[in-house]
Amino acid sequence: MAEIRHFLTLRDFSRDELNRLMHRAIELKTAWKNGERDYHPLKKQTLAMIFEKSSTRTRVSFETGMTQLGGHGMFLSSNDTQLGRGEPIKDSARVISSMVDMIMIRTFGHDIVETFAEYSSVPVINALTDAYHPCQLLADMMTYQEHRGDIKGKTVAYVGDGNNMCQSWMNAALQFDFKLNIACPEGYEPDAELLEELGDRVTLIRDIRAAAEGASLITTDVWASMGQEEEQKIREKAFATFQVNAEVMALAKEDAVFMHCLPAHREEEVTTEVLEGKQSVVWDEAENRLHAQKALLEALNAS
Ligand code: CP
Ligand code: NVA
């Protein structure tokens, strides 16, 4: 039996594959907007969508994407399934994958999606873990391509927590070949091994202004991620100076864009002025989740 293809991080696809996926996503977007609605490569197929954390964009985009491709997205909340009552991941993976064609999971530890993939007989997609959010980066790379063209060789500044988004931007720097400056407070760095491995293209800079200087793209994320709600107050103090505001944007290139995976906390990691400003492409980023994931579903189905 051929090996099953999963998408747990951006490293699961080659650079060429990711680039093809991004261009295919743009093609699918154009076709859909032109009214071409009879392309159904996933006819009668089911995607199980397992959510152990909240979601707006991820759920809406995957479920809609499946409908548009002729299949069905089945929402499964851990609260309402045996997963929430402690049925082992490896048992759930074997059972669910015996009935559906693909599985998407949003959960806590990255080891959970790895175990799920190990025991699944169908492709598994990581829809966010504590460590990575690769689907978001597919949409982000597509959005940059649409607005400014090739990101290769450009400089990106990531401001804030060394979290799942930060680490996904690090993988993107490798796969899409750009430089990444990370400005984060002490104690909130991304994984040290990943940082060392990607040292030729990822630089940790404590000074947010120095990180933003000359960047073609500035991005940030919430100070406290899902599961860290109790740390909100401590984090507000630690991150107080790590805000993307007009002054920070002014240090970047004139044609720099601002990205945020959303949901955003206005006046915390980003000001309303920047989020709603001319350089912000956050609404396109959100919409592109749909198109990028349709390309991903199509590719995994064909593999
Ligand atoms: N960006 C993102 O994944 O949003 P949701 O949490 O709403 O899915
Ligand atoms: N870092 C955020 C991203 C949300 C899409 C979180 O994990 O909550």
Side-chain angles (χ1 to χ4, degrees):
M1 199 171 88
E3 207 176 308
I4 303 153
R5 202 82 200 269
H6 302 293
F7 185 67
L8 307 189
T9 77
L10 288 177
R11 309 272 195 117
D12 287 329
F13 280 40
S14 69
R15 279 183 175 190
D16 279 356
E17 285 173 324
L18 288 172
N19 262 293
R20 277 204 297 274
L21 205 71
M22 183 176 66
H23 288 287
R24 179 65 181 147
I26 295 172
E27 237 171 60
L28 286 170
K29 180 176 180 176
T30 308
W32 186 261
K33 287 188 185 280
N34 286 342
E36 293 170 33
R37 308 213 161 180
D38 294 324
Y39 178 61
H40 294 145
L42 302 190
K43 194 171 169 191
K44 304 277 187 219
Q45 293 202 25
T46 301
L47 171 75
M49 311 192 309
I50 302 169
F51 283 93
E52 301 208 80
K53 290 178 177 171
S54 305
S55 167
T56 297
R57 281 143 287 267
T58 304
R59 178 178 178 183
V60 175
S61 55
F62 269 113
E63 200 166 322
T64 306
M66 281 305 289
T67 304
Q68 293 186 1
L69 294 173
H72 168 63
M74 179 198 285
F75 177 75
L76 298 168
S77 146
S78 58
N79 294 333
D80 309 319
T81 56
Q82 299 291 4
L83 265 170
R85 295 180 63 247
E87 183 167 13
I89 303 297
K90 58 184 185 182
D91 295 3
S92 305
R94 281 179 284 196
V95 171
I96 297 170
S97 69
S98 71
M99 294 184 241
V100 304
D101 302 280
M102 278 186 252
I103 298 172
M104 178 239 87
I105 317 178
R106 166 168 287 198
T107 187
F108 293 86
H110 194 71
D111 58 309
I112 297 173
V113 291
E114 286 175 341
T115 306
F116 216 104
E118 193 185 330
Y119 286 91
S120 170
S121 54
V122 299
V124 172
I125 298 168
N126 172 9
L128 183 145
T129 61
D130 291 343
Y132 296 103
H133 193 7
C135 293
Q136 181 67 52
L137 263 293
L138 292 181
D140 295 355
M141 293 298 98
M142 173 185 175
T143 307
Y144 191 85
Q145 176 72 39
E146 285 181 324
H147 281 267
R148 296 285 185 269
D150 201 350
I151 199 164
K152 187 175 173 167
K154 301 268 165 59
T155 297
V156 173
Y158 175 93
V159 176
D161 193 16
N163 62 11
N164 44 13
M165 279 307 301
C166 179
Q167 296 191 157
S168 300
W169 276 100
M170 291 169 79
N171 275 344
L174 173 72
Q175 298 292 59
F176 290 88
D177 205 6
F178 57 83
K179 288 203 164 17
L180 179 67
N181 294 338
I182 299 173
C184 67
E186 263 179 64
Y188 295 95
E189 295 80 9
D191 181 73
E193 265 177 44
L194 191 63
L195 204 52
E196 194 182 323
E197 183 202 349
L198 301 179
D200 63 328
R201 64 191 65 239
V202 179
T203 317
L204 197 67
I205 303 175
R206 296 291 174 195
D207 178 6
I208 176 171
R209 299 175 66 89
E213 191 97 44
S216 295
L217 189 169
I218 297 200
T219 185
T220 184
D221 189 16
V222 289
W223 291 341
S225 286
M226 289 182 275
Q228 299 173 332
E229 288 78 5
E230 280 121 69
E231 294 175 38
Q232 178 68 28
K233 286 282 162 244
I234 303 172
R235 284 172 172 264
E236 275 174 22
K237 283 203 185 86
F239 286 87
T241 56
F242 289 80
Q243 181 190 64
V244 179
N245 50 35
E247 201 189 314
V248 171
M249 288 304 296
L251 295 163
K253 287 214 155 113
E254 226 178 289
D255 68 345
V257 292
F258 171 75
M259 288 195 184
H260 192 310
C261 64
L262 304 178
H265 289 187
R266 286 167 169 82
E267 314 315 330
E268 286 188 21
E269 75 274 6
V270 60
T271 57
T272 302
E273 187 184 7
V274 169
L275 190 76
E276 304 280 4
K278 280 205 307 284
Q279 288 167 285
S280 173
V281 293
V282 299
W283 314 116
D284 289 339
E285 249 185 295
E287 180 193 328
N288 283 340
R289 293 290 303 279
L290 168 65
H291 310 295
Q293 287 157 200
K294 279 172 70 180
L296 174 65
L297 291 164
E298 180 189 58
L300 287 173
N301 177 54
S303 67

